[in-house]
Every structure is written in structure tokens, then in C-alpha cells.
Amino acid sequence: MKTIDLRSDTVTLPSPAMREAINTAELGDDVFGEDPTVNRLEEMAAERMGKEAALLVVSGTMGNLVCILTHCRRGEEVILGDMSHTFLYEAGGMSALGGVHPHTLANQPDGTMLLEEIEAAVRADNVHFPRTRLICLENTHNRCAGSPLTVEYTDAVVALAKKHNLLLHLDGARIFNAALALGVDVKQLTQSADSVTFCLSKGLAAPVGSLLCGSKKFIAEARRTRKVLGGGMRQAGIIAAAGITALEEMIDRLEEDHRNAKRLAQGIAGVEALSIDVGSVRTDIVYFEVASERITAEQLTSELAKKGVKILHIGPNRLRAVTHYGITADDIDIALKAIQDVANRA
Ligand SMILES: *Cc1c(COP(=O)(O)O)cnc(C)c1O
């Protein structure tokens, strides 16, 4: 029985071309700046994001942390969404390691924060208050239906940041999914931000790595912050080689993941014991709910696992499935059949 693993786009295995690239990568000591493969990946990443420079880090979590610690001093404040990955799932790194204070605002169902609420959250110059330094956005928004934030919204938040002398960091873990869903060049979503991180190891299927991108001056400082966190790597071209292949060969195929996510959502909409907002599914992430008293989300996932279909339950009634490299339309149909069987028995 083949396992169809829809828990996350991070379960992807490297493509044959990545394994080949890893095997033949030209290497050097990157802490001396001498790994030609890392240097090439960083140049490519900066170019794609419309930035001067980029830095390879091991994960999206490290990328966001390096950016926040580079932008903010102790006691300064970051405005970010209450459903953001950085607030929920990064172990409180900004506070634990940087003494940086998170100021959360409600994320709307489409992953935005209201402009008027952002503006109201900016602190006045008063000895009682922390100093607001940074606003963080997330695109696509993982917990908010994988929604893409538009160019117009991003630019409006940047304008607000500029007006108040603040910086803007973009957690673009799945920024290529956002660009594809919106039909824009990825640069349009990133060029106005002061820093952006994106992941190679999600939909792009590389085994390890994220990049943070910004001005030359910012990246020089970020390189120091990465070193402080123990993130200086030596022959990191082993990782970067797969990342270069990811940027060259894996972006256009994300369209297939979006089509498969829609197909899954439409199938789920036909199952009586389940409920889903099909229109909210814009990228590779599908959230849905159990709408029957007779089964919980956890029971559904464990029954599905017995049939070789893995999804995540993320609340008593809430479930998540993510499409990715290695999942075909046929796999989606098999998964749907299993979901129907389990849910209809409930
Ligand atoms: C996965 C993810 C991250 C963190 O990436 P890791 O590589 O898992 O540390 C950050 N932000 C968002 C929106 C993510 O989905």
C-alpha cells in the first residue's frame, strides 16, 4: 500500500536532479565566503526577490529569527499577526534570545491585519512604552487558509511602516505559491519589504534551507547574527546545490499543487460529514472541518492513516491537508475515496 502523505509540503523528498546536483557541487568554506555554490544560490535568491543580497540559513525559523534580531534591539516591539507562524510556532525565539516584545493583532481570515489596527498599535514616544521597530507579514499565510497577500496590501503596510519610521519583514516561506496564485512576479510582493525569508524545503522540495534577502548592509549584519546563533556553515554548497535546482526547476510546477488542492477541496465539499470553504483554497493548503457529532478530527486522521492517507488534525474538529511534489491527481482521488469511506461510516 502506497502512503499518501498530505500532512505538509515539508515531507517532500529531493528530486533526482537535486541528488545529482548535491553529488557534483563545487564546495568551499562558506564561513570564509568561499563556497561557490552557496554564493551562487545567494545571488540567485537576491535577484529573484529584487534585493541586493541574500544569506542561506538552515530553516525558515532561523531566517525569521535572524531578521528580527538584526532589525531590533532588546526591549523593542514587533507588530505581527496572532495566527502568524512566527508568533505561534517558532518557540518564542524573538523573546527568548533577543528580548524583543511581540505585539499581536488579530489576523483576518485572509491572513491580513487591519491597517487601522496596525496604525493604532504603533507606540507613541513615551517612557512607559516599548519602542515599535518592526512589522511582520506572512505570505502565503499558513494558518489563514494558505491565503496569498496581495501586492496592494503589502505596499499599503509598507507605506504605513515608512510613515512611522518602522521596518517591514516578510515571512515568505511560501512566497512563490503566493506569486503564482496572484499571477504576479514574486518581486512585486517582496521588493518593498526591508527583509524577506523564503523556504527551499517546502513546496520547492529541497532537503534543507531557507534564504533571507535584503540590502547589502542588512545582510552583512545578518551574517553576524547568524554566526551568533551558531548558524555559520562550512561546505554548505551540499545544501545550496539542491536549492539552486529548486529555484530553477521546482517553481513552475507549484501550479500542479494548487490544482490538486482545489481538486481535494471540491471532493471534500461533496462529503456530508465534512465542511469546507472551497473558495478559500487558493494555494497548496486545504483546511476543512468535521461537521458530524459522531467523529472527531483525531479519529478521522487515525482511521485515514490505517488506509495509508496521512493528514493533520489541528483542533477538535479542524483538519489540514497540503499538496506537494510527489502527489498526483490520482493520489488525490485515492485520498478522497478514503476520506469518503471514513467520513460516511461516521
Ligand atoms: C514552515 C514555516 C516557517 C518555518 O520554516 P521551518 O523551515 O520549518 O523552520 C516559517 N513561516 C511559515 C509561514 C511557515 O509555514
Side-chain angles (χ1 to χ4, degrees), residues 125-291:
D125 183 9
N126 179 313
V127 73
H128 295 85
F129 300 150
R131 285 197 174 105
T132 311
R133 178 67 62 206
L134 181 69
I135 302 171
C136 294
L137 295 178
E138 182 174 315
N139 199 6
T140 62
H141 202 291
N142 185 335
R143 275 299 298 264
C144 296
S147 297
L149 305 187
T150 64
V151 175
E152 295 70 30
Y153 176 76
T154 308
D155 288 349
V157 178
V158 169
L160 214 156
K162 287 211 161 68
K163 179 176 156 196
H164 293 280
N165 241 335
L166 307 176
L167 300 166
L168 188 122
H169 171 66
L170 178 61
D171 176 358
R174 296 184 182 82
I175 196 69
F176 292 106
N177 296 85
L180 183 67
L182 297 165
V184 301
D185 187 304
V186 71
K187 278 194 195 74
Q188 293 175 264
L189 295 168
T190 57
Q191 62 199 1
S192 63
D194 294 286
S195 58
V196 51
T197 54
F198 71 87
C199 292
L200 298 168
S201 59
K202 293 194 166 160
L204 301 187
V208 185
S210 288
L211 285 126
L212 55 102
C213 310
S215 69
K216 275 196 179 125
K217 186 159 170 271
F218 175 78
I219 292 298
E221 257 327 284
R223 199 173 282 281
R224 178 175 277 272
T225 312
R226 183 186 69 171
K227 180 67 186 168
V228 170
L229 297 175
M233 296 179 280
R234 302 297 180 177
Q235 285 71 36
I238 292 279
I239 292 168
I244 290 170
T245 307
L247 288 181
E248 285 175 343
E249 296 181 7
M250 303 304 274
I251 293 173
D252 291 343
R253 65 152 303 287
L254 292 173
E255 203 154 347
E256 185 184 344
D257 298 343
H258 293 192
R259 269 200 310 275
N260 284 337
K262 260 278 184 288
R263 186 183 188 92
L264 181 63
Q266 282 158 352
I268 289 169
V271 181
E272 207 176 316
L274 304 176
S275 102
I276 184 167
D277 174 5
V278 177
S280 74
V281 178
R282 308 272 309 275
T283 59
D284 60 340
I285 303 181
V286 180
Y287 285 99
F288 58 103
E289 270 94 37
V290 174

Side-chain angles (χ1 to χ4, degrees), residues 3-19:
T3 299
I4 299 171
D5 193 343
L6 301 173
R7 288 172 303 165
S8 175
D9 47 5
T10 56
V11 302
T12 41
L13 297 176
S15 67
M18 286 179 191
R19 291 187 189 262

Side-chain angles (χ1 to χ4, degrees), residues 28-35 38-39 223 226 233-234 236:
D29 187 335
D30 181 52
V31 178
F32 289 117
E34 290 173 4
D35 188 301
V38 171
N39 292 342
R223 199 173 282 281
R226 183 186 69 171
M233 296 179 280
R234 302 297 180 177

